[in-house]
Amino acid sequence: MQSFIPPKRTLMGPGPSDISPQVLQALSRPTIGHLDPLFIKMMDEVKELLKYVFQTENEFTIAVSAPGSAGMETCFVNLVEKGEKVLVCRNGVFGERMRQNVERCGGTAIVIDDKWGEPVSLNKVEEALLKHADIKIVAFVHAETSTGVLSDAESISTLARQYGCLTIVDAVTSLGGVPLFVDKWQLDAVYSGSQKCLSCTPGLSPVTFSKRAVDKMKSRTKAVQSWFLDQSLVLSYWSGEGKRSYHHTAPVNSLYALHESLLMLKNEGLEAAWSRHAFYHQELKEGLESLGIQFMVDEAYRLPQLNAVYIPEGVSDVEVRSRLLNEYNLEIGAGLGDLAGKTWRIGLMGYAAKKENVALCLKALSDVL
């Protein structure tokens, strides 16, 4: 065996996304202790930067030391108690994962389904809330990674609050790529991932909890079944210097990288980042359509950072993606579930949303097709 030296790929799949040289350099900085006062200060800065990206003043805003799937589980295991009903809005793979989380927590999942590639139906949400007056939480995916569709988080949250429910929101693909206003939209528990539009290394999950969500956690009658994800234990670990209590050894260098990626996003400005994603999506859209490639999702609720397109008739999914990878060092994503072999998912996330990536993708696809 020898040291592993990966090739330089251009990552335009559903994640991870391309990482800037600055973030990669941050990873290589000297490791210090996770209870070192300087590291604690940096963690406090990560919290403030995450508040900016989430557009929230929630004090309970941290990065879970595990990938986005753990962020999802963090929200469910802390908020869902045995016997409680949770409305799960399912319009893709990740809505189904929410359902599985509810049931593993001992809750009852009331599921509403929408066709893959379409947003969550507000009418179906309200009908379910009217039918089941004892629903406690509404769970939905803001940006469904399996299909590239954006749902109306603000309107779903308004309905949830109207019927006295909390919200759990998957913002794994939306954070940093499209508008997301946690406080303005009154979202309660929101989780994301470091490897999508934040353009950081995989393995961290930003989460934020509203005061209402924290109050529900504090009122639990039984302990959270996961020790590691129990936020009543983790919160004191993310407190400032002098209040820090040991919980686990933080992924020190990964948090350096997250700090750097969030700082870059702050310096660019959220609105500028959202505009950049939209601009290069338009360039990619025009180029793909000129190749005869059609989008799966209606333009009105299409994600700019995750482009789900139909594979042209007679074209081999596996062969095209293999040639793109081996001949052009370009990665695009395959379809999931029922869409496997029928769609590609082309990402324009974070650092990858730039002119040269769009040009490479269009030229490489044109050549291979």
Side-chain angles (χ1 to χ4, degrees):
M1 293 186 186
Q2 296 178 337
S3 297
F4 177 64
I5 309 295
K8 178 70 175 98
R9 308 279 202 204
T10 298
L11 302 180
M12 295 184 69
S17 62
D18 278 352
I19 299 175
S20 72
Q22 298 98 303
V23 173
L24 290 175
Q25 288 167 6
L27 277 168
S28 67
R29 292 170 187 161
T31 304
I32 59 176
H34 68 115
L35 295 176
D36 187 304
L38 291 176
F39 184 69
I40 291 170
K41 180 177 181 296
M42 189 211 71
M43 287 179 76
D44 288 340
E45 290 181 359
V46 167
K47 286 177 63 174
E48 291 305 311
L49 289 164
L50 285 175
K51 286 182 182 181
Y52 168 72
V53 177
F54 276 121
Q55 288 291 283
T56 183
E57 294 300 321
N58 289 342
E59 195 54 39
F60 197 161
T61 303
I62 65 169
V64 175
S65 298
S69 295
M72 170 177 60
E73 193 163 344
T74 295
C75 292
F76 282 94
V77 298
N78 283 276
L79 292 175
V80 179
E81 294 196 72
K82 188 174 182 180
E84 289 185 338
K85 286 185 179 179
V86 178
L87 177 61
V88 176
C89 307
R90 184 171 61 184
N91 62 338
V93 167
F94 295 94
E96 166 59 15
R97 290 190 180 183
M98 285 181 152
R99 182 196 66 79
Q100 293 175 21
N101 269 264
V102 170
E103 295 186 349
R104 285 172 181 262
C105 293
T108 300
I110 307 298
V111 180
I112 58 169
D113 279 305
D114 284 290
K115 184 179 177 182
W116 283 33
E118 294 184 359
V120 173
S121 165
L122 298 176
N123 288 335
K124 289 181 181 179
V125 171
E126 186 158 27
E127 287 170 6
L129 291 171
L130 281 168
K131 185 177 179 181
H132 302 274
D134 52 348
I135 287 175
K136 301 293 185 185
I137 296 169
V138 176
F140 65 94
V141 180
H142 185 212
E144 177 56 71
T145 313
S146 61
T147 63
V149 66
L150 182 71
S151 289
D152 187 347
E154 183 178 16
S155 296
I156 297 171
S157 175
T158 298
L159 281 172
R161 294 181 74 84
Q162 184 180 329
Y163 289 89
C165 299
L166 295 176
T167 48
I168 295 179
V169 185
D170 178 327
V172 170
T173 297
S174 57
L175 187 66
V178 290
L180 172 66
F181 299 95
V182 169
D183 286 359
K184 182 180 177 182
W185 297 348
Q186 299 187 2
L187 308 176
D188 292 301
V190 187
Y191 60 89
S192 189
S194 54
Q195 78 280 16
K196 305 275 189 173
C197 294
L198 299 185
S199 284
C200 184
T201 51
L204 294 169
S205 179
V207 297
T208 186
F209 291 91
S210 71
K211 184 180 183 302
R212 293 202 321 152
V214 172
D215 288 345
K216 189 177 192 306
M217 285 190 275
K218 289 180 177 177
S219 67
R220 289 184 65 97
T221 56
K222 292 186 178 178
V224 173
Q225 67 262 36
S226 169
W227 180 89
F228 183 71
L229 299 178
D230 183 347
Q231 295 305 287
S232 67
L233 304 176
V234 175
L235 184 56
S236 60
Y237 180 66
W238 274 83
S239 297
E241 187 177 354
K243 298 176 285 183
R244 175 71 56 99
S245 63
Y246 170 70
H247 180 264
H248 65 277
T249 302
V252 172
N253 291 61
S254 292
L255 283 166
Y256 293 167
L258 180 61
H259 182 277
E260 190 70 21
S261 69
L262 292 171
L263 194 60
M264 290 176 65
L265 182 52
K266 176 75 160 55
N267 290 337
E268 179 183 10
L270 270 178
E271 291 189 1
W274 298 336
S275 296
R276 174 168 53 84
H277 283 87
F279 178 84
Y280 287 115
H281 159 75
Q282 192 64 27
E283 280 201 0
L284 179 68
K285 168 184 173 291
E286 292 171 3
L288 290 173
E289 289 178 345
S290 72
L291 295 175
I293 296 174
Q294 299 301 312
F295 279 77
M296 175 183 162
V297 177
D298 187 277
E299 197 162 1
Y301 34 82
R302 186 182 297 164
L303 286 172
Q305 68 269 42
L306 199 287
N307 299 270
V309 297
Y310 289 112
I311 299 171
E313 189 175 351
V315 171
S316 167
D317 169 31
V318 174
E319 182 179 351
V320 168
R321 287 188 293 106
S322 176
R323 287 188 60 189
L324 290 175
L325 193 68
N326 294 322
E327 297 175 22
Y328 294 89
N329 275 314
L330 172 65
E331 178 183 277
I332 66 171
L336 293 178
D338 292 341
L339 298 176
K342 301 175 183 177
T343 62
W344 291 318
R345 292 178 297 154
I346 303 175
L348 279 176
M349 298 184 186
Y351 186 67
K354 54 186 177 180
K355 192 174 191 70
E356 52 265 47
N357 280 17
V358 173
L360 170 64
C361 182
L362 294 174
K363 179 69 168 78
L365 267 175
S366 176
D367 288 353
V368 171
L369 290 174

